[in-house]
Amino acid sequence: MLYTDATPTPLSCITAILEKNKNIYELKFEQSITLGLSISDAAISITEMYLAGKPARKKVKAADRNSYFWSCRFLTTSSSELYESEPFTLALARYMEQDKIACFDLVHHIAKIAPETVRRAVRYSKLIQRQQSERWKEIEKIADIETKEFSEFIRVCHFFDQANRERVAKVEIYRAPLIELSPLELLTYASLYAFEYLVPKEFSQDKNTDNNEMQATWDAINDTLIWKLTTTEDTFHISEETIGNSLRDHLSPFLFPSPELPKPRDDIYQALVLLIDAQIELNSFLSQSVNAFCYDDSIRFEFSGSELIIVQLLPNEENAWHRNGEKLSRLHNYWYYRALESFSSTEIDTFLIERLGNNEMNFYAYMKATTTYLQLTEVYGLDKSILVKTGLQVDLFQALLSLDLMSAFYNMDYILPYQNYLTETGNSRQALSRLAMEGLTQGLQNRFPITWSDRQTKIKTIQPWTVSENFPQGHPLATEAILDFWTNDLKALSSRLRNNEPTQKPELFELPILKMGRYLFQLPWMAALQNNSTAAINNLRRLGSRRAGARKETEQIEHRLAKCFEERGFLVCLNYQPPKAEFEDPGEVDLICIKDGHLLVLEVKSTFLRKSTQDAWLHKTNTLRKAGLQLRRKVKAVETALVSDAELALALNPNKNEITSVNSWIVDTSIEHDHELFSGFLKVSIEEILIALRDDSHLLNDPDGLFSSKTINIDESLMSKKQNPSTLYPNGFSGGCFVDVIERQVV
């Protein structure tokens, strides 16, 4: 029975409404049966239509779409084939995510036929974190009836709920002493924490330093700032006096203890330390336990006595996530070697290199910026310049270089001296005090754990980083655009968070210049230690996914990929539009390539770098699953067009040679779920395709040993002129060999 807003509606009324306002899903189901589909295939087809958000949102509201789908008569008479299918499981998870529509009888019916589908839907919807919702009450009611199938599952869910409540309560306890702090004051204490705990770990000689532990701490600090912005109002009218008073009360007592100053607020600092620990514990529980329970089908949680344990079902799937970390490390090596290659080319900006001076840190910053620039242009389709939200055009390389030069500056002028003082004193506060005093005695330079300046001063400071032959003193407008590119307006973000507006929550490192009032703040420890490549990619692809130029960039990915195939001798048809079928529009085919009788049909996707199993799962079940369905339609249309479209046939097969194989791949900017099948089609990363086409996979293996230790000899690297020690194609490149290299994961 169907309900709206949890208020019972008689079935007879629903039937009358549907007959009057024809249910689009019922109509499509009937059409599918008429076209010859089996009942099960027709039902799965309609489920896919529902998941795809069709009919279009402008025509039908999401709530109405839910009402129509869950009132379909064929759902109550379907077989286990539908209920156990992946599309229906995802649809049921979507039902669990909302509270406006109820159909308990149907869910109970499904639970009797396909109990695992209901359990998976509960997991995928994260219903275990909403155990006050109407949908959870339905599941508990079903468990009371179907005790054997659900009692253990419900027990596990209750365990997670209790454990989550305990950790959330702990976080709330340690947040309480920090409620009265302003965002500036919170960041001040966070910086004291970072210099005491994070910086020494990052530069520790201990090879067992855990990068995941470092990331967990960064995440906890970021979550704490987001909490503060969500609960803070009217604290962004900052003046020089405001900054002075905040530092006098909350920073100076730690660095310069004096009877004239207030006592250090160790109570607040210790509360922050405990809060970060508690937030790390909560985040770890959510990512390693809750997310694993909800999204990892390779494991099962079960009780051994009173203890909850993990049972491995598919060990290889769990290992894939860890292998992705190794892949990212190897790809970093690859792009750095590509940057070294470009350094010896005529494309290098020798004027800028000379102006940066003979400084190894600055040179290394230039190389890192080149590394990211190559990745952004070749993989993500970016142009040399991009439009920022203030309307200014920013030179992409200069924007990347500015961030890497900031890192170099803060490493040289803050982190390295601090490390020396810390070694001498053994005390982080004394080391910070000496660092700050050194700055004050050297021309009143700011060497505090948090830095600030007004916008115009900041522009003058970094303007030399935009020098060129046309602007030997730098370009103020270019500098202004760079600042806008990396700036996070905390007042605007706070407003969106407090008003519950849909918004992407930037991580600190993605937009590392923090705007409060007319002042721009930076955290030296963060600027020195952050991963600038990931910052740039996610700034553009995650936070900036709806930028005006984002769609054009996706098109450019396709164009540049087409060029790479053409350079290898493939014939390429770009953005082919097959004719529409009577009941199906296959849509535009991104790339069709052919060489030596091997035809490739490619569906290109562009996304961002993910760091959680939830994000990876969402990518798999949304973007990649849909891509597989799209490719299924497109391959069928291409095969038909090669016979019926003489122009396409002539373009791809002018000599009318036999097409020996048709290979269809989803080609994605991300590496998640590489070499998995979606609707029977292989998913591979764009980087793997590019490396296979260029035949330079040896660069993945650090051939010069640049990354075998933290000491990098730039001169030796540039002098090294090694020949390619291996090739992916010992018998020569061909269409068949290329396909074999990709499908056998040779790269």
Side-chain angles (χ1 to χ4, degrees), residues 29 31-46:
F29 178 77
Q31 287 178 355
S32 299
I33 297 296
T34 303
L35 290 172
L37 268 66
S38 68
I39 292 175
S40 180
D41 286 346
I44 291 175
S45 175
I46 302 309

Side-chain angles (χ1 to χ4, degrees), residues 66 69 109 114 190 278 290 294 303 458 497 500 564 663 689 723:
N66 287 332
F69 180 77
H109 173 69
V290 172
C294 291
F303 279 97
K458 192 69 174 178
L497 291 171
N500 292 316
C564 291
N663 303 89
I689 296 287
Q723 297 298 314

Side-chain angles (χ1 to χ4, degrees), residues 400-414:
L400 299 173
L401 179 61
S402 69
L403 195 60
D404 284 309
L405 287 171
M406 284 178 197
S407 293
F409 166 73
Y410 283 115
N411 268 298
M412 285 291 292
D413 285 39
Y414 285 73

Side-chain angles (χ1 to χ4, degrees), residues 534-571:
T534 301
I537 291 170
N538 281 3
N539 182 329
L540 291 160
R541 301 306 307 172
R542 188 178 82 85
L543 301 178
S545 61
R546 297 187 177 181
R547 288 177 296 109
R551 182 177 180 84
K552 179 186 175 185
E553 288 159 14
T554 301
E555 294 173 353
Q556 287 176 167
I557 294 172
E558 298 164 5
H559 282 266
R560 291 170 188 175
L561 198 56
K563 183 179 178 183
C564 291
F565 275 103
E566 288 172 343
E567 289 172 349
R568 269 299 194 175
F570 282 84
L571 295 175

Side-chain angles (χ1 to χ4, degrees), residues 500-652:
N500 292 316
E501 296 176 23
T503 185
Q504 292 275 24
K505 298 174 184 176
E507 298 195 27
L508 279 170
F509 73 97
E510 291 174 333
L511 294 173
I513 299 176
L514 309 175
K515 181 176 183 293
M516 289 185 274
R518 64 186 183 89
Y519 291 91
L520 301 175
F521 293 81
Q522 281 192 270
L523 309 176
W525 55 272
M526 184 181 72
L529 305 181
Q530 71 178 37
N531 184 324
N532 291 340
S533 175
T534 301
I537 291 170
N538 281 3
N539 182 329
L540 291 160
R541 301 306 307 172
R542 188 178 82 85
L543 301 178
S545 61
R546 297 187 177 181
R547 288 177 296 109
R551 182 177 180 84
K552 179 186 175 185
E553 288 159 14
T554 301
E555 294 173 353
Q556 287 176 167
I557 294 172
E558 298 164 5
H559 282 266
R560 291 170 188 175
L561 198 56
K563 183 179 178 183
C564 291
F565 275 103
E566 288 172 343
E567 289 172 349
R568 269 299 194 175
F570 282 84
L571 295 175
V572 178
C573 179
L574 186 64
N575 304 134
Y576 175 69
Q577 181 64 64
K580 293 182 181 180
E582 184 179 358
F583 293 102
E584 185 174 77
D585 179 7
E588 184 179 83
V589 183
D590 295 333
L591 274 128
I592 310 172
C593 312
I594 190 169
K595 182 177 173 64
D596 305 324
H598 294 272
L599 184 75
L600 300 175
V601 182
L602 307 182
E603 177 72 14
V604 179
K605 297 297 179 185
S606 176
T607 51
F608 58 92
L609 296 176
R610 295 168 182 79
K611 67 176 187 180
S612 75
T613 52
Q614 179 177 2
D615 285 342
W617 181 87
L618 289 170
H619 185 51
K620 174 182 180 177
T621 56
N622 286 283
T623 305
L624 298 178
R625 189 185 64 82
K626 290 176 183 176
L629 295 171
Q630 291 169 333
L631 204 46
R632 186 166 64 190
R633 295 192 299 269
K634 293 176 183 182
V635 169
K636 181 180 175 182
V638 168
E639 290 175 335
T640 301
L642 285 170
V643 177
S644 60
D645 187 335
E647 186 177 347
L648 177 68
L650 182 63
L652 290 174

Side-chain angles (χ1 to χ4, degrees), residues 360-404:
E360 187 170 323
M361 276 281 199
N362 285 348
F363 177 80
Y364 187 49
Y366 188 96
M367 296 308 303
K368 287 170 66 179
T370 304
T371 298
T372 308
Y373 179 79
L374 288 172
Q375 196 172 8
L376 284 170
T377 52
E378 293 193 19
V379 178
Y380 292 91
L382 269 78
D383 280 324
K384 291 184 177 180
S385 65
I386 54 176
L387 187 69
V388 295
K389 54 192 173 186
T390 55
L392 294 174
Q393 285 282 344
V394 61
D395 181 280
L396 179 60
F397 181 76
Q398 285 185 340
L400 299 173
L401 179 61
S402 69
L403 195 60
D404 284 309

Side-chain angles (χ1 to χ4, degrees), residues 26 59 139 180 233 244 261 380 481 687:
E26 290 277 11
K59 298 178 181 178
I139 299 304
E180 299 305 318
E233 294 186 50
L261 290 173
Y380 292 91
E687 284 166 295

Side-chain angles (χ1 to χ4, degrees), residues 30 263 305 433 469 506 521 546 738:
E30 292 168 7
K263 290 183 178 181
S433 176
E469 292 191 40
F521 293 81
R546 297 187 177 181
F738 173 75

